[in-house]
Amino acid sequence: MWRAALANREELPTRNARHTAHFDGPKDLARDRGNTRILLSSGEKIPLINTYERRSGLNEIKELFRDVMKGKEMFVSFFCFGPRDSPFTLHAVQVTDSAYVTHSENILYRICYDYFVKYGENLDYLRFLHSAGERDANGWSKNIDKRRIYIDLEDDTVYSVNTQYAGNTVGLKKLALRLCVNRGLREGWLCEHMFITGVKGPGDRVTYFTGAFPAGCGKTSTALMSDTVVGDDLAIIKEFDGVARAVNPEVGMFGIVDGINPRDDPEIYEILTSPDSEVIFSNILLMDNGEVWWSGKVGEPGKGINYAGEWWPGKDNPPSHPNSRFTTSIRYLKTLDPRIDDPLGVPVGGMIFGGRDSDTLPPVEESFDWVHGIVTKGAALESERTTAVLGKAGEREFNPYAILDFLSISVGKFTELHLRFAEKLKVKPRVYGVNYFLKDENGNYLAEKVDKKVWLKWMELRVHNDVEAVETPTGLIPLYEDLKVLFSKHLNKDYPEALYVKQFMVRVPQQLSKVERIWAIYEGIPDAPRELFDVLRAQKERLKEAGSKWGDFISPFIFIRR
Amino acid sequence: MSREAFTSEEYDYMSFLRSSMRGEMLERLLRIPDPKLHRWIADIVRVAKPSSVYVNVGD
């Protein structure tokens, strides 16, 4: 399929025969929230979700598709969304006029044409229809003002047109996520925007974690820093014999390449620079000498073309876009978990929620229990905006479970689903919050990228109760002595007590503001479960009590000495 | 499950598919015993008018 993509110049060759470059164009570099709509009959409205009356949406889409593939080849592909022969797995048909989309999906998903031949009309499958629309001389989609991504829940079909950015077009990625969230609600399971990784503990045991982070918040780097990787982006989680088990529905990675460097991301850097890996780079700099360049790559950028056209040193746009991406097979990872294709997936020991937060949350914190965790870590997740979505970088935005952009149901119902899901479990996963982006009073980050490894190791020990934790008003944090040992053992780094205090200080005013913000949001969600407000109320009371005793900024040692 | 067609017209979609798709690709599609799928593909071809159809089986 890469030959077809090269032939019609959707992808350009690079110096490396197995690496290609794709450019989406300056107005098509991120997911288009405004034009992504859930189609619902009778024009039902759901808070925080962009909906549209179904019949109007379908009529509009059909008109946009009229003659849209003239002169082009149409590709029809058949995929599994999950391991083969698995009770987790869904199936999908992708129709598109983009060889780039098809090439991407051939890398990202298991081809399952044989299932369709075997089961035919008895197979229940998702449908995706895409057209890049008319392309201009640069190969960019021309009619961006008519870019539409419509999700028809009633027919399990997604339509996208006049766009090429993979987040808007690759059907089995975020488009499938929206369909599956809806299915999960109907059938009692979870479809999540989560990685799945294995963290090794004492005696070589492996504890599996799922993790949800908004784009650009350390999700892929956390996944790749773990000891084993099952998946880096999506997870289907179901209950079997009282245990929460997770599978990765994908077999590839579509990650942000901007910032990937050999020091912090050695494994993925090696894959992306290896001549043996098949990689599609998008929106990087393709230099005249055939090399690709992105911010973080060794060497200096030279003259070439990027997402906005010709580029040369000194030009006023960055050589590679902050949302530039790589698409490659997950099977290149040396740390790939042997259970990637296990039809029953892996048992979930812990669930992690992380966002970009400069002033409130500690680097790692365990919730008191599942309900407290789902509410305070998942349902309350906020993140300072990045460039993966069209909009203004830096503003704090509400992004519950890191899935708000991909919800096709009310966040109230999604929260209720999580609360009810765990009632079936004999042992519930521990729930954690992480925050890699806490800053000091001078605006400097309080942690380094590599410190994620320590937080993961601590969580792994906690799942098995191998270390104690300190109870604070908002959750359970590590003991300083345990972190000191972990930093020394895993990163060969000192861990000063002063840093621990700064990182794990309870910031009462900021935490209370957060509770107020989240409360106000859920007051506007008619089907938010009552338990959510109970948990927030109790959190607020604990914070106020602590604040009245020990002031606005409370050292973690106060709680240790109690 | 019930699937919505891409057009509401009544027409002989199988004849249309046979005239629109070349031999091997048509065979790959028809090897799948799913009339609703065939109808959907035929509808899309009818509306969007691609010059050719490639049924991707990973080759």
Side-chain angles (χ1 to χ4, degrees), chain A residues 54-55 58 62 65-70 72-78 106 111 113 116-117 120-121 124-125 127 155-156, chain B residues 1-6 28 31-35 37 40-41 44-45 47-58:
Chain A
R54 182 172 182 261
R55 189 50 54 192
L58 292 176
K62 283 167 191 177
F65 269 89
R66 195 166 297 288
D67 299 343
V68 79
M69 295 187 187
K70 264 189 173 172
K72 300 188 196 179
E73 185 159 39
M74 181 175 103
F75 303 93
V76 184
S77 309
F78 305 88
N106 277 6
I111 293 172
Y113 171 71
F116 284 78
V117 171
E121 62 186 329
D124 183 10
Y125 54 89
R127 304 190 303 185
D155 202 28
D156 269 341
Chain B
M1 65 183 287
S2 89
R3 307 269 17 196
E4 181 152 335
F6 197 54
R28 287 182 180 183
R31 220 171 273 146
I32 300 171
D34 184 350
L37 175 67
W40 193 57
I41 299 297
I44 294 166
V45 173
V47 171
K49 298 192 177 64
S51 54
S52 60
V53 178
Y54 186 91
V55 179
N56 171 34
V57 299

Short mmCIF file of all heavy atoms in Angstrom, two decimals, chain A residues 54-55 58 62 65-70 72-78 106 111 113 116-117 120-121 124-125 127 155-156, chain B residues 1-6 28 31-35 37 40-41 44-45 47-58:
data_model
loop_
_atom_site.label_atom_id
_atom_site.label_comp_id
_atom_site.label_asym_id
_atom_site.label_seq_id
_atom_site.Cartn_x
_atom_site.Cartn_y
_atom_site.Cartn_z
N ARG A 54 -29.56 13.53 13.23
CA ARG A 54 -29.02 12.44 12.41
C ARG A 54 -29.35 12.56 10.93
O ARG A 54 -28.46 12.46 10.08
CB ARG A 54 -29.52 11.11 12.96
CG ARG A 54 -28.98 9.90 12.22
CD ARG A 54 -29.35 8.60 12.91
NE ARG A 54 -28.76 7.48 12.19
CZ ARG A 54 -29.41 6.72 11.32
NH1 ARG A 54 -30.70 6.96 11.07
NH2 ARG A 54 -28.80 5.73 10.70
N ARG A 55 -30.59 12.73 10.62
CA ARG A 55 -30.98 12.73 9.21
C ARG A 55 -30.34 13.92 8.47
O ARG A 55 -29.85 13.76 7.34
CB ARG A 55 -32.51 12.75 9.08
CG ARG A 55 -33.05 12.55 7.68
CD ARG A 55 -32.49 11.35 6.95
NE ARG A 55 -32.61 10.11 7.68
CZ ARG A 55 -31.98 8.98 7.33
NH1 ARG A 55 -31.18 8.94 6.28
NH2 ARG A 55 -32.14 7.88 8.03
N LEU A 58 -26.68 13.00 7.89
CA LEU A 58 -26.48 12.01 6.83
C LEU A 58 -26.72 12.62 5.46
O LEU A 58 -25.98 12.34 4.50
CB LEU A 58 -27.40 10.81 7.05
CG LEU A 58 -27.08 9.95 8.28
CD1 LEU A 58 -28.11 8.84 8.45
CD2 LEU A 58 -25.68 9.34 8.18
N LYS A 62 -23.85 12.86 2.55
CA LYS A 62 -24.04 12.23 1.24
C LYS A 62 -23.79 13.23 0.13
O LYS A 62 -23.21 12.90 -0.89
CB LYS A 62 -25.42 11.58 1.16
CG LYS A 62 -25.42 10.25 1.92
CD LYS A 62 -26.80 9.69 2.17
CE LYS A 62 -26.70 8.53 3.17
NZ LYS A 62 -27.97 7.94 3.54
N PHE A 65 -20.10 13.71 -0.31
CA PHE A 65 -19.43 12.59 -0.96
C PHE A 65 -19.75 12.49 -2.45
O PHE A 65 -19.12 11.71 -3.16
CB PHE A 65 -19.79 11.26 -0.26
CG PHE A 65 -18.81 10.92 0.84
CD1 PHE A 65 -19.00 11.37 2.13
CD2 PHE A 65 -17.67 10.17 0.57
CE1 PHE A 65 -18.08 11.08 3.14
CE2 PHE A 65 -16.75 9.88 1.57
CZ PHE A 65 -16.95 10.34 2.86
N ARG A 66 -20.67 13.29 -2.92
CA ARG A 66 -21.06 13.20 -4.33
C ARG A 66 -19.87 13.55 -5.22
O ARG A 66 -19.29 14.64 -5.11
CB ARG A 66 -22.24 14.13 -4.63
CG ARG A 66 -22.94 13.83 -5.94
CD ARG A 66 -24.30 14.54 -6.01
NE ARG A 66 -25.24 14.09 -4.99
CZ ARG A 66 -25.84 12.90 -4.99
NH1 ARG A 66 -25.62 12.02 -5.93
NH2 ARG A 66 -26.69 12.59 -4.01
N ASP A 67 -19.46 12.62 -6.07
CA ASP A 67 -18.36 12.79 -7.02
C ASP A 67 -17.01 13.04 -6.35
O ASP A 67 -16.04 13.41 -7.04
CB ASP A 67 -18.62 13.96 -7.99
CG ASP A 67 -19.86 13.74 -8.83
OD1 ASP A 67 -20.33 12.59 -8.91
OD2 ASP A 67 -20.38 14.72 -9.39
N VAL A 68 -16.90 12.87 -5.04
CA VAL A 68 -15.69 13.28 -4.34
C VAL A 68 -14.48 12.39 -4.67
O VAL A 68 -13.34 12.80 -4.47
CB VAL A 68 -15.95 13.31 -2.81
CG1 VAL A 68 -15.90 11.90 -2.22
CG2 VAL A 68 -14.99 14.22 -2.09
N MET A 69 -14.72 11.20 -5.19
CA MET A 69 -13.59 10.30 -5.49
C MET A 69 -13.30 10.22 -6.99
O MET A 69 -12.54 9.34 -7.42
CB MET A 69 -13.88 8.90 -4.95
CG MET A 69 -13.99 8.84 -3.43
SD MET A 69 -14.12 7.12 -2.87
CE MET A 69 -14.44 7.34 -1.12
N LYS A 70 -13.84 11.15 -7.76
CA LYS A 70 -13.62 11.11 -9.22
C LYS A 70 -12.13 11.15 -9.52
O LYS A 70 -11.40 11.99 -9.00
CB LYS A 70 -14.29 12.32 -9.89
CG LYS A 70 -15.66 12.02 -10.44
CD LYS A 70 -16.19 13.17 -11.29
CE LYS A 70 -17.49 12.73 -11.95
NZ LYS A 70 -18.18 13.81 -12.63
N LYS A 72 -9.98 8.99 -8.70
CA LYS A 72 -9.15 8.37 -7.65
C LYS A 72 -9.47 6.89 -7.51
O LYS A 72 -10.55 6.42 -7.89
CB LYS A 72 -9.43 9.03 -6.31
CG LYS A 72 -9.15 10.51 -6.22
CD LYS A 72 -9.31 10.89 -4.77
CE LYS A 72 -9.44 12.35 -4.55
NZ LYS A 72 -9.61 12.62 -3.11
N GLU A 73 -8.57 6.19 -6.87
CA GLU A 73 -8.81 4.80 -6.52
C GLU A 73 -9.42 4.76 -5.13
O GLU A 73 -9.01 5.50 -4.24
CB GLU A 73 -7.50 4.01 -6.54
CG GLU A 73 -7.69 2.52 -6.29
CD GLU A 73 -6.53 1.68 -6.80
OE1 GLU A 73 -5.37 2.11 -6.67
OE2 GLU A 73 -6.80 0.59 -7.36
N MET A 74 -10.40 3.88 -4.95
CA MET A 74 -11.03 3.71 -3.65
C MET A 74 -10.51 2.41 -3.05
O MET A 74 -10.44 1.39 -3.74
CB MET A 74 -12.55 3.65 -3.81
CG MET A 74 -13.31 3.50 -2.53
SD MET A 74 -15.10 3.59 -2.82
CE MET A 74 -15.57 1.86 -2.71
N PHE A 75 -10.14 2.46 -1.78
CA PHE A 75 -9.58 1.29 -1.09
C PHE A 75 -10.61 0.76 -0.07
O PHE A 75 -11.19 1.54 0.68
CB PHE A 75 -8.29 1.67 -0.36
CG PHE A 75 -7.25 2.26 -1.27
CD1 PHE A 75 -7.14 3.62 -1.44
CD2 PHE A 75 -6.38 1.42 -1.97
CE1 PHE A 75 -6.19 4.17 -2.30
CE2 PHE A 75 -5.44 1.95 -2.83
CZ PHE A 75 -5.35 3.32 -3.00
N VAL A 76 -10.79 -0.56 -0.08
CA VAL A 76 -11.71 -1.20 0.88
C VAL A 76 -10.88 -2.18 1.70
O VAL A 76 -10.24 -3.07 1.13
CB VAL A 76 -12.84 -1.96 0.15
CG1 VAL A 76 -13.84 -2.53 1.16
CG2 VAL A 76 -13.55 -1.05 -0.84
N SER A 77 -10.89 -2.01 3.01
CA SER A 77 -10.05 -2.84 3.87
C SER A 77 -10.87 -3.43 5.01
O SER A 77 -11.90 -2.86 5.40
CB SER A 77 -8.90 -2.01 4.47
OG SER A 77 -8.21 -1.31 3.47
N PHE A 78 -10.37 -4.53 5.56
CA PHE A 78 -11.09 -5.27 6.60
C PHE A 78 -10.15 -5.53 7.77
O PHE A 78 -9.09 -6.13 7.59
CB PHE A 78 -11.58 -6.60 6.02
CG PHE A 78 -12.41 -6.43 4.79
CD1 PHE A 78 -11.82 -6.39 3.53
CD2 PHE A 78 -13.78 -6.25 4.87
CE1 PHE A 78 -12.58 -6.19 2.39
CE2 PHE A 78 -14.55 -6.05 3.73
CZ PHE A 78 -13.94 -6.02 2.49
N ASN A 106 -2.92 -0.43 7.67
CA ASN A 106 -2.22 -1.71 7.50
C ASN A 106 -1.14 -1.88 8.56
O ASN A 106 -0.84 -3.00 8.98
CB ASN A 106 -1.59 -1.79 6.11
CG ASN A 106 -2.58 -2.24 5.05
OD1 ASN A 106 -3.77 -2.38 5.32
ND2 ASN A 106 -2.10 -2.44 3.84
N ILE A 111 -5.11 -7.19 9.85
CA ILE A 111 -6.00 -7.36 8.70
C ILE A 111 -6.78 -8.65 8.89
O ILE A 111 -6.20 -9.70 9.16
CB ILE A 111 -5.17 -7.40 7.40
CG1 ILE A 111 -4.54 -6.01 7.19
CG2 ILE A 111 -6.03 -7.80 6.21
CD1 ILE A 111 -3.56 -5.96 6.05
N TYR A 113 -9.51 -9.86 6.71
CA TYR A 113 -10.36 -10.17 5.55
C TYR A 113 -10.93 -11.58 5.68
O TYR A 113 -12.11 -11.82 5.34
CB TYR A 113 -9.51 -10.01 4.28
CG TYR A 113 -10.15 -10.51 3.02
CD1 TYR A 113 -11.22 -9.83 2.42
CD2 TYR A 113 -9.68 -11.67 2.39
CE1 TYR A 113 -11.80 -10.29 1.25
CE2 TYR A 113 -10.26 -12.13 1.21
CZ TYR A 113 -11.31 -11.43 0.64
OH TYR A 113 -11.89 -11.89 -0.52
N PHE A 116 -14.21 -11.91 7.46
CA PHE A 116 -15.36 -11.45 6.70
C PHE A 116 -15.77 -12.51 5.69
O PHE A 116 -16.97 -12.73 5.46
CB PHE A 116 -15.04 -10.11 6.01
CG PHE A 116 -15.06 -8.95 6.96
CD1 PHE A 116 -14.01 -8.70 7.82
CD2 PHE A 116 -16.17 -8.11 7.02
CE1 PHE A 116 -14.04 -7.64 8.71
CE2 PHE A 116 -16.21 -7.04 7.91
CZ PHE A 116 -15.14 -6.81 8.76
N VAL A 117 -14.80 -13.19 5.11
CA VAL A 117 -15.12 -14.28 4.18
C VAL A 117 -15.82 -15.41 4.92
O VAL A 117 -16.79 -15.99 4.45
CB VAL A 117 -13.83 -14.78 3.48
CG1 VAL A 117 -14.11 -16.06 2.69
CG2 VAL A 117 -13.26 -13.70 2.58
N GLY A 120 -19.21 -13.55 6.95
CA GLY A 120 -20.13 -12.80 6.10
C GLY A 120 -21.09 -11.94 6.87
O GLY A 120 -20.71 -11.20 7.79
N GLU A 121 -22.36 -12.03 6.52
CA GLU A 121 -23.36 -11.14 7.13
C GLU A 121 -23.61 -11.45 8.59
O GLU A 121 -24.32 -10.70 9.27
CB GLU A 121 -24.66 -11.19 6.34
CG GLU A 121 -25.30 -12.54 6.31
CD GLU A 121 -26.51 -12.57 5.37
OE1 GLU A 121 -27.19 -11.53 5.23
OE2 GLU A 121 -26.76 -13.63 4.78
N ASP A 124 -20.70 -8.84 12.99
CA ASP A 124 -21.13 -7.51 13.40
C ASP A 124 -19.92 -6.59 13.26
O ASP A 124 -18.90 -6.84 13.89
CB ASP A 124 -21.58 -7.60 14.88
CG ASP A 124 -22.12 -6.30 15.40
OD1 ASP A 124 -22.34 -5.37 14.61
OD2 ASP A 124 -22.32 -6.22 16.63
N TYR A 125 -19.97 -5.58 12.42
CA TYR A 125 -18.76 -4.79 12.20
C TYR A 125 -19.06 -3.29 12.17
O TYR A 125 -20.17 -2.85 11.91
CB TYR A 125 -18.04 -5.21 10.91
CG TYR A 125 -18.89 -5.19 9.67
CD1 TYR A 125 -19.00 -4.04 8.89
CD2 TYR A 125 -19.57 -6.33 9.26
CE1 TYR A 125 -19.78 -4.02 7.75
CE2 TYR A 125 -20.35 -6.32 8.11
CZ TYR A 125 -20.46 -5.17 7.36
OH TYR A 125 -21.24 -5.16 6.23
N ARG A 127 -18.25 0.46 10.52
CA ARG A 127 -17.98 0.91 9.15
C ARG A 127 -17.39 2.31 9.17
O ARG A 127 -17.84 3.18 9.94
CB ARG A 127 -19.27 0.95 8.32
CG ARG A 127 -20.01 -0.37 8.29
CD ARG A 127 -21.14 -0.42 7.27
NE ARG A 127 -22.14 0.63 7.46
CZ ARG A 127 -23.25 0.71 6.74
NH1 ARG A 127 -23.51 -0.19 5.80
NH2 ARG A 127 -24.11 1.69 6.95
N ASP A 155 -26.00 3.37 13.41
CA ASP A 155 -25.61 2.46 12.34
C ASP A 155 -24.15 2.03 12.48
O ASP A 155 -23.60 1.43 11.57
CB ASP A 155 -25.82 3.17 11.00
CG ASP A 155 -25.94 2.21 9.84
OD1 ASP A 155 -26.38 1.06 10.06
OD2 ASP A 155 -25.56 2.59 8.72
N ASP A 156 -23.51 2.39 13.60
CA ASP A 156 -22.11 2.04 13.82
C ASP A 156 -21.25 2.41 12.61
O ASP A 156 -20.41 1.62 12.15
CB ASP A 156 -21.95 0.54 14.13
CG ASP A 156 -22.03 0.27 15.64
OD1 ASP A 156 -21.84 1.22 16.43
OD2 ASP A 156 -22.27 -0.88 16.02
N MET B 1 -27.23 -7.26 12.14
CA MET B 1 -27.79 -5.97 12.52
C MET B 1 -28.29 -5.24 11.27
O MET B 1 -27.82 -5.51 10.18
CB MET B 1 -26.74 -5.14 13.25
CG MET B 1 -25.53 -4.73 12.45
SD MET B 1 -24.29 -3.80 13.40
CE MET B 1 -25.09 -2.23 13.61
N SER B 2 -29.22 -4.33 11.45
CA SER B 2 -29.70 -3.63 10.26
C SER B 2 -28.69 -2.55 9.91
O SER B 2 -28.12 -1.92 10.77
CB SER B 2 -31.07 -3.02 10.53
OG SER B 2 -30.95 -1.73 11.05
N ARG B 3 -28.42 -2.39 8.63
CA ARG B 3 -27.44 -1.41 8.20
C ARG B 3 -28.10 -0.49 7.20
O ARG B 3 -28.81 -0.94 6.31
CB ARG B 3 -26.26 -2.11 7.50
CG ARG B 3 -25.64 -3.20 8.28
CD ARG B 3 -24.52 -3.00 9.19
NE ARG B 3 -24.08 -1.79 9.74
CZ ARG B 3 -22.88 -1.66 10.31
NH1 ARG B 3 -22.07 -2.70 10.32
NH2 ARG B 3 -22.51 -0.53 10.84
N GLU B 4 -27.79 0.78 7.35
CA GLU B 4 -28.39 1.75 6.44
C GLU B 4 -27.58 1.78 5.15
O GLU B 4 -26.34 1.82 5.17
CB GLU B 4 -28.39 3.12 7.10
CG GLU B 4 -29.01 4.19 6.23
CD GLU B 4 -29.61 5.32 7.05
OE1 GLU B 4 -29.98 5.09 8.22
OE2 GLU B 4 -29.71 6.42 6.51
N ALA B 5 -28.27 1.77 4.02
CA ALA B 5 -27.59 1.89 2.73
C ALA B 5 -27.13 3.34 2.58
O ALA B 5 -27.61 4.24 3.26
CB ALA B 5 -28.54 1.51 1.60
N PHE B 6 -26.20 3.56 1.67
CA PHE B 6 -25.69 4.91 1.48
C PHE B 6 -26.58 5.73 0.55
O PHE B 6 -26.51 6.95 0.52
CB PHE B 6 -24.25 4.84 0.94
CG PHE B 6 -23.49 6.13 1.08
CD1 PHE B 6 -23.35 6.76 2.31
CD2 PHE B 6 -22.89 6.71 -0.02
CE1 PHE B 6 -22.65 7.94 2.44
CE2 PHE B 6 -22.17 7.89 0.10
CZ PHE B 6 -22.06 8.51 1.33
N ARG B 28 -12.71 -10.65 -4.81
CA ARG B 28 -12.36 -10.50 -3.38
C ARG B 28 -13.57 -10.00 -2.59
O ARG B 28 -13.83 -10.45 -1.47
CB ARG B 28 -11.21 -9.51 -3.22
CG ARG B 28 -9.87 -10.03 -3.66
CD ARG B 28 -8.79 -8.99 -3.41
NE ARG B 28 -7.49 -9.48 -3.84
CZ ARG B 28 -6.35 -8.80 -3.69
NH1 ARG B 28 -6.38 -7.58 -3.15
NH2 ARG B 28 -5.21 -9.31 -4.11
N ARG B 31 -16.41 -12.69 -2.42
CA ARG B 31 -16.07 -13.83 -1.58
C ARG B 31 -16.65 -13.66 -0.17
O ARG B 31 -16.80 -14.61 0.57
CB ARG B 31 -14.54 -13.94 -1.49
CG ARG B 31 -14.00 -15.35 -1.54
CD ARG B 31 -12.48 -15.34 -1.67
NE ARG B 31 -12.08 -15.26 -3.06
CZ ARG B 31 -11.00 -14.63 -3.51
NH1 ARG B 31 -10.20 -14.01 -2.70
NH2 ARG B 31 -10.72 -14.62 -4.80
N ILE B 32 -16.99 -12.44 0.16
CA ILE B 32 -17.60 -12.16 1.46
C ILE B 32 -19.11 -12.28 1.31
O ILE B 32 -19.73 -11.49 0.59
CB ILE B 32 -17.24 -10.74 1.95
CG1 ILE B 32 -15.73 -10.61 2.09
CG2 ILE B 32 -17.95 -10.42 3.25
CD1 ILE B 32 -15.25 -9.19 2.34
N PRO B 33 -19.74 -13.25 1.94
CA PRO B 33 -21.18 -13.46 1.76
C PRO B 33 -22.01 -12.47 2.60
O PRO B 33 -22.58 -12.83 3.63
CB PRO B 33 -21.38 -14.91 2.23
CG PRO B 33 -20.29 -15.15 3.21
CD PRO B 33 -19.12 -14.29 2.82
N ASP B 34 -22.03 -11.23 2.15
CA ASP B 34 -22.73 -10.19 2.91
C ASP B 34 -23.37 -9.21 1.94
O ASP B 34 -22.73 -8.24 1.50
CB ASP B 34 -21.73 -9.49 3.84
CG ASP B 34 -22.39 -8.46 4.73
OD1 ASP B 34 -23.59 -8.13 4.53
OD2 ASP B 34 -21.71 -7.95 5.65
N PRO B 35 -24.62 -9.43 1.56
CA PRO B 35 -25.28 -8.55 0.58
C PRO B 35 -25.33 -7.09 1.03
O PRO B 35 -25.26 -6.17 0.21
CB PRO B 35 -26.70 -9.13 0.49
CG PRO B 35 -26.59 -10.54 0.96
CD PRO B 35 -25.49 -10.55 1.96
N LEU B 37 -23.09 -5.50 2.73
CA LEU B 37 -21.78 -4.93 2.45
C LEU B 37 -21.67 -4.59 0.96
O LEU B 37 -21.22 -3.51 0.58
CB LEU B 37 -20.68 -5.88 2.88
CG LEU B 37 -19.25 -5.46 2.54
CD1 LEU B 37 -18.84 -4.22 3.32
CD2 LEU B 37 -18.26 -6.60 2.80
N TRP B 40 -23.61 -1.55 0.21
CA TRP B 40 -22.96 -0.34 0.72
C TRP B 40 -21.83 0.10 -0.19
O TRP B 40 -21.72 1.29 -0.54
CB TRP B 40 -22.45 -0.61 2.14
CG TRP B 40 -22.03 0.60 2.91
CD1 TRP B 40 -22.81 1.70 3.18
CD2 TRP B 40 -20.78 0.83 3.53
NE1 TRP B 40 -22.09 2.60 3.93
CE2 TRP B 40 -20.85 2.10 4.17
CE3 TRP B 40 -19.59 0.10 3.64
CZ2 TRP B 40 -19.77 2.64 4.89
CZ3 TRP B 40 -18.52 0.65 4.36
CH2 TRP B 40 -18.62 1.90 4.97
N ILE B 41 -21.00 -0.85 -0.60
CA ILE B 41 -19.89 -0.51 -1.48
C ILE B 41 -20.41 0.01 -2.81
O ILE B 41 -19.92 1.01 -3.36
CB ILE B 41 -18.97 -1.74 -1.70
CG1 ILE B 41 -18.38 -2.22 -0.38
CG2 ILE B 41 -17.86 -1.42 -2.71
CD1 ILE B 41 -17.48 -1.22 0.32
N ILE B 44 -21.59 3.56 -2.46
CA ILE B 44 -20.49 4.54 -2.35
C ILE B 44 -19.88 4.79 -3.72
O ILE B 44 -19.62 5.94 -4.10
CB ILE B 44 -19.41 4.04 -1.36
CG1 ILE B 44 -20.00 3.99 0.07
CG2 ILE B 44 -18.19 4.95 -1.39
CD1 ILE B 44 -19.13 3.21 1.04
N VAL B 45 -19.67 3.72 -4.47
CA VAL B 45 -19.10 3.87 -5.82
C VAL B 45 -20.03 4.72 -6.68
O VAL B 45 -19.59 5.60 -7.42
CB VAL B 45 -18.86 2.49 -6.45
CG1 VAL B 45 -18.44 2.63 -7.91
CG2 VAL B 45 -17.78 1.73 -5.68
N VAL B 47 -22.15 7.03 -5.74
CA VAL B 47 -22.22 8.43 -5.32
C VAL B 47 -20.86 9.13 -5.50
O VAL B 47 -20.77 10.21 -6.07
CB VAL B 47 -22.68 8.53 -3.84
CG1 VAL B 47 -22.55 9.95 -3.31
CG2 VAL B 47 -24.11 8.03 -3.70
N ALA B 48 -19.80 8.49 -5.02
CA ALA B 48 -18.50 9.14 -4.99
C ALA B 48 -17.72 9.02 -6.29
O ALA B 48 -16.79 9.79 -6.54
CB ALA B 48 -17.67 8.58 -3.84
N LYS B 49 -18.06 8.00 -7.10
CA LYS B 49 -17.51 7.80 -8.44
C LYS B 49 -15.98 7.66 -8.50
O LYS B 49 -15.31 8.36 -9.27
CB LYS B 49 -17.96 8.93 -9.37
CG LYS B 49 -19.47 9.00 -9.57
CD LYS B 49 -19.83 9.91 -10.72
CE LYS B 49 -21.33 9.91 -10.97
NZ LYS B 49 -22.12 10.45 -9.85
N PRO B 50 -15.41 6.74 -7.73
CA PRO B 50 -13.99 6.49 -7.90
C PRO B 50 -13.73 5.87 -9.27
O PRO B 50 -14.61 5.25 -9.86
CB PRO B 50 -13.69 5.48 -6.78
CG PRO B 50 -14.99 4.79 -6.54
CD PRO B 50 -16.05 5.82 -6.78
N SER B 51 -12.50 6.02 -9.76
CA SER B 51 -12.19 5.43 -11.07
C SER B 51 -11.91 3.94 -10.96
O SER B 51 -12.02 3.21 -11.94
CB SER B 51 -10.99 6.16 -11.70
OG SER B 51 -9.91 6.14 -10.80
N SER B 52 -11.53 3.50 -9.76
CA SER B 52 -11.29 2.06 -9.55
C SER B 52 -11.46 1.74 -8.08
O SER B 52 -11.46 2.64 -7.23
CB SER B 52 -9.89 1.68 -10.03
OG SER B 52 -8.92 2.42 -9.30
N VAL B 53 -11.58 0.44 -7.79
CA VAL B 53 -11.74 -0.02 -6.40
C VAL B 53 -10.67 -1.06 -6.13
O VAL B 53 -10.49 -2.00 -6.92
CB VAL B 53 -13.13 -0.64 -6.17
CG1 VAL B 53 -13.25 -1.14 -4.72
CG2 VAL B 53 -14.23 0.38 -6.45
N TYR B 54 -9.97 -0.89 -5.04
CA TYR B 54 -8.95 -1.86 -4.63
C TYR B 54 -9.39 -2.49 -3.32
O TYR B 54 -9.58 -1.80 -2.33
CB TYR B 54 -7.60 -1.15 -4.46
CG TYR B 54 -6.48 -2.12 -4.19
CD1 TYR B 54 -5.73 -2.65 -5.25
CD2 TYR B 54 -6.16 -2.54 -2.90
CE1 TYR B 54 -4.71 -3.56 -5.02
CE2 TYR B 54 -5.16 -3.46 -2.66
CZ TYR B 54 -4.44 -3.96 -3.72
OH TYR B 54 -3.44 -4.88 -3.51
N VAL B 55 -9.57 -3.81 -3.32
CA VAL B 55 -9.95 -4.53 -2.09
C VAL B 55 -8.66 -4.99 -1.43
O VAL B 55 -7.96 -5.87 -1.94
CB VAL B 55 -10.89 -5.71 -2.40
CG1 VAL B 55 -11.24 -6.45 -1.11
CG2 VAL B 55 -12.17 -5.18 -3.07
N ASN B 56 -8.34 -4.37 -0.33
CA ASN B 56 -7.05 -4.56 0.36
C ASN B 56 -7.11 -5.78 1.26
O ASN B 56 -7.92 -5.84 2.19
CB ASN B 56 -6.77 -3.30 1.18
CG ASN B 56 -5.58 -3.44 2.11
OD1 ASN B 56 -4.61 -4.10 1.79
ND2 ASN B 56 -5.65 -2.81 3.27
N VAL B 57 -6.30 -6.78 0.95
CA VAL B 57 -6.25 -7.96 1.81
C VAL B 57 -4.86 -8.09 2.43
O VAL B 57 -4.48 -9.15 2.92
CB VAL B 57 -6.66 -9.23 1.04
CG1 VAL B 57 -8.08 -9.09 0.52
CG2 VAL B 57 -5.70 -9.53 -0.09
N GLY B 58 -4.10 -6.98 2.39
CA GLY B 58 -2.79 -6.97 3.01
C GLY B 58 -1.67 -7.36 2.06
O GLY B 58 -0.54 -7.58 2.48
#
